[in-house]
Amino acid sequence: MTNYNYDNLNYNQPDLIPPGHDSDPDYYIPMYFAAPWVIAHGYRGTSDQYSYGWFLDNVSQSYTNTGDDAWAGQKDLAYMGAQCGPFDQHFVYEAGDGLEDVVTAFSYLQGKEYENQGLNIRSAMPPKYVFGFFQGVFGATSLLRDNLPAGENNVSLEEIVEGYQNQNVPFEGLAVDVDMQDDLRVFTTRPAFWTANKVGEGGDPNNKSVFEWAHDRGLVCQTNVTCFLKNEKNPYEVNQSLREKQLYTKSDSLDNIDFGTTPDGPSDAYIGHLDYGGGVECDALFPDWGRPDVAQWWGDNYKKLFSIGLDFVWQDMTVPAMMPHRLGDPVGTNSGETAPGWPNDKDPSNGRYNWKSYHPQVLVTDMRYDDYGRDPIVTQRNLHAYTLCESTRREGIVGNADSLTKFRRSYIISRGGYIGNQHFGGMWVGDNSSTEDYLAMMVINVINMNMSGVPLVGSDIGGFTEHDKRNPCTPDLMMRFVQAGCLLPWFRNHYDRWIESKKHGKNYQELYMYRDHLDALRSFVELRYRWQEVLYTAMYQNALNGKPIIKTVSMYNNDMNVKDAQNDHFL
């Protein structure tokens, strides 16, 4: 198992597949979240059980072997290792010797009372609405149907909301993707996502933001906030303030490597080329997250979004997802498509490539130490998403609590992180697809994340990416996704929609479009709302004492008869 935060589209990106292995998702492939944490659970004889945990607190790339026999002589070995940095190990056990006892003890090891509140001891307590059902789409082109631009398969958020409400499908709110932003500029909005088709300030009954419009219909919203700022010759306000305060990651290394720049500058900035998929791309600057003044600057930018009605945050592309860029190539070059032998013959870990993130040699501020010195990003790769989420939670959400317009509590759903991320919010497990394999992995991922201390987790219901050209998730598979997903903590249907401007994705995936199966789908969403109180109560218990929301069946009453039912059964 490899712990290395990675933007792993479909969990099977070719640059991660070792020679001789097939491209199906498997345990050795790094994912968006890094958890160098292993639990051993077994029995002595017929009834005397034992459980203990092993945590390697190392934020560089780390690995774990638990008896894989792919390499000779390792079948009975269990070990951990790391690419660099301290080897800080913790062995975790509890007097009860049960599996749940170890998980609860591990949450105690991570427990911190942020924000001076007695409730958020083991994890941040979300508002109840987070346990509702949400719809998201990458490819919604306007708020109102009257403002839809011309183009095949374009859809407005108004049509989506009406589709659910007209069919009486319970529906909590919208996940508003980057389509809302002004040409990928983070913390901005486009005119088409205001009722008067012009950007406003909020609070105007004649020109409401998408969030205010949703509030009028009893809904709440999250929106996609990425961790980088589009770079251009004439920078927009947020980018300009980052430049003026010199808070961006510099193009520095211990060996004075030239990482390349663009004519748009700044000349001393580290610049990467970001790929959202479907030809949606931009050059970007990156805040230096380890600096405390960066956290405050970042948090201050949320005030405007909250003041126009945003309810909670969708923290996306936390790695971030840069295109592979070889040293010496122009910044905007996707070297991964042209380099001979990419990815295995020209192994990206050798430093010639950035491997969908910063080049490993780039110096960034290390917030773990009091002097805030700078070290290569390779030494703290898995801390990037954690620090981003911490800044959003503490300086963004808590620091701007008075700007929230509907509820007094907010939350984060992020795509990546590290052990302890539950102090800032929950997670979804990245860009999955529409096959039975991803349905099975949804359950496995949620169980394992709960056993790692992160309770509020889910997958994109129906799968995010296209699998069979433009065809949506099949009705039978969508039914099974909804049946399983309605019982899990985070319940959101989210997909990449094919529209003419990007020619990428599926034709549709909203539940109301499955007319022949709608009654059954509706019944399971209704079940979710009966189940909502159970999840909310379980989350309260987790925030206080660390008990997981979703438990593997092998946790049940320390019962040895179910000790092997781990991946496909949960409580």
Side-chain angles (χ1 to χ4, degrees), residues 5 9 56 98 109 128 131 169 186 190 270 273 323 328 333 343 362 425 431 470 500 521 531 538 549 553 571:
N5 287 164
L9 180 73
L56 173 59
L109 176 66
K128 183 179 176 181
F131 293 102
V169 179
V186 181
R190 287 201 296 121
Y270 180 77
H273 192 76
M323 293 196 306
T333 301
V362 173
D431 293 338
R470 290 176 58 174
E500 190 170 339
L521 290 168
W531 184 241
I549 294 179
V553 169
L571 303 173

Side-chain angles (χ1 to χ4, degrees), residues 311-464:
D311 297 289
F312 67 123
V313 176
W314 168 5
Q315 201 87 84
D316 201 357
M317 299 180 75
T318 52
V319 171
M322 296 184 220
M323 293 196 306
H325 168 224
R326 182 172 48 188
L327 292 177
D329 287 349
V331 168
T333 301
N334 187 349
S335 303
E337 296 179 351
T338 59
W342 170 271
N344 294 313
D345 292 345
K346 299 291 186 181
D347 179 9
S349 65
N350 61 24
R352 288 192 294 268
Y353 296 92
N354 61 332
W355 216 16
K356 279 198 175 179
S357 183
Y358 303 83
H359 286 84
Q361 308 96 327
V362 173
L363 295 178
V364 294
T365 302
D366 195 331
M367 51 83 71
R368 295 172 295 173
Y369 306 111
D370 292 339
D371 62 356
Y372 294 102
R374 292 199 299 162
D375 286 316
I377 184 67
V378 68
T379 68
Q380 47 186 307
R381 165 74 178 232
N382 295 333
L383 198 61
H384 183 278
Y386 179 97
T387 312
L388 163 66
C389 293
E390 182 177 30
S391 300
T392 295
R393 172 72 188 182
R394 299 181 72 175
E395 282 74 24
I397 291 174
V398 177
N400 292 297
D402 291 342
S403 299
L404 293 165
T405 62
K406 186 171 183 179
F407 294 98
R408 305 317 299 168
R409 194 187 302 162
S410 186
Y411 202 64
I412 304 168
I413 299 293
S414 73
R415 193 166 78 170
Y418 183 70
I419 292 292
N421 245 72
Q422 69 272 13
H423 294 301
F424 319 126
M427 284 190 59
W428 93 103
V429 291
D431 293 338
N432 59 346
S433 194
S434 301
T435 73
E436 292 186 358
D437 289 340
Y438 293 95
L439 172 64
M441 284 187 285
M442 175 174 73
V443 175
I444 296 168
N445 284 332
V446 172
I447 289 174
N448 280 296
M449 293 292 286
N450 268 262
M451 294 177 70
S452 300
V454 183
L456 208 160
V457 188
S459 290
D460 284 343
I461 298 301
F464 174 72

Side-chain angles (χ1 to χ4, degrees), residues 180-208:
M180 183 198 74
Q181 296 175 4
D182 178 17
D183 197 17
L184 304 180
R185 297 177 179 95
V186 181
F187 296 115
T188 67
T189 58
R190 287 201 296 121
F193 285 80
W194 293 76
T195 57
N197 203 25
K198 61 181 181 180
V199 176
E201 297 295 328
D204 180 356
N206 297 313
N207 187 26
K208 295 186 178 183

Side-chain angles (χ1 to χ4, degrees), residues 143-144 161 165 172-174 195 203-221 308-309 311 405-407:
L143 168 58
L144 303 179
V161 170
Q165 295 187 337
E172 198 76 33
L174 295 165
T195 57
D204 180 356
N206 297 313
N207 187 26
K208 295 186 178 183
S209 72
V210 54
F211 313 129
E212 295 169 318
W213 177 90
H215 289 170
D216 290 344
R217 286 148 184 80
L219 303 173
V220 295
C221 293
I308 63 173
D311 297 289
T405 62
K406 186 171 183 179
F407 294 98

Side-chain angles (χ1 to χ4, degrees), residues 63 67 89 260 307 387 405 421 462 467 497 546:
Y63 56 89
Q89 296 183 83
S307 67
T387 312
T405 62
N421 245 72
H467 175 69
R497 185 181 180 94

Side-chain angles (χ1 to χ4, degrees), residues 136-157:
V137 53
F138 176 34
T141 48
S142 70
L143 168 58
L144 303 179
R145 61 165 55 86
D146 290 344
N147 295 329
L148 266 180
E152 183 184 350
N153 207 39
N154 285 349
V155 68
S156 67
L157 296 179

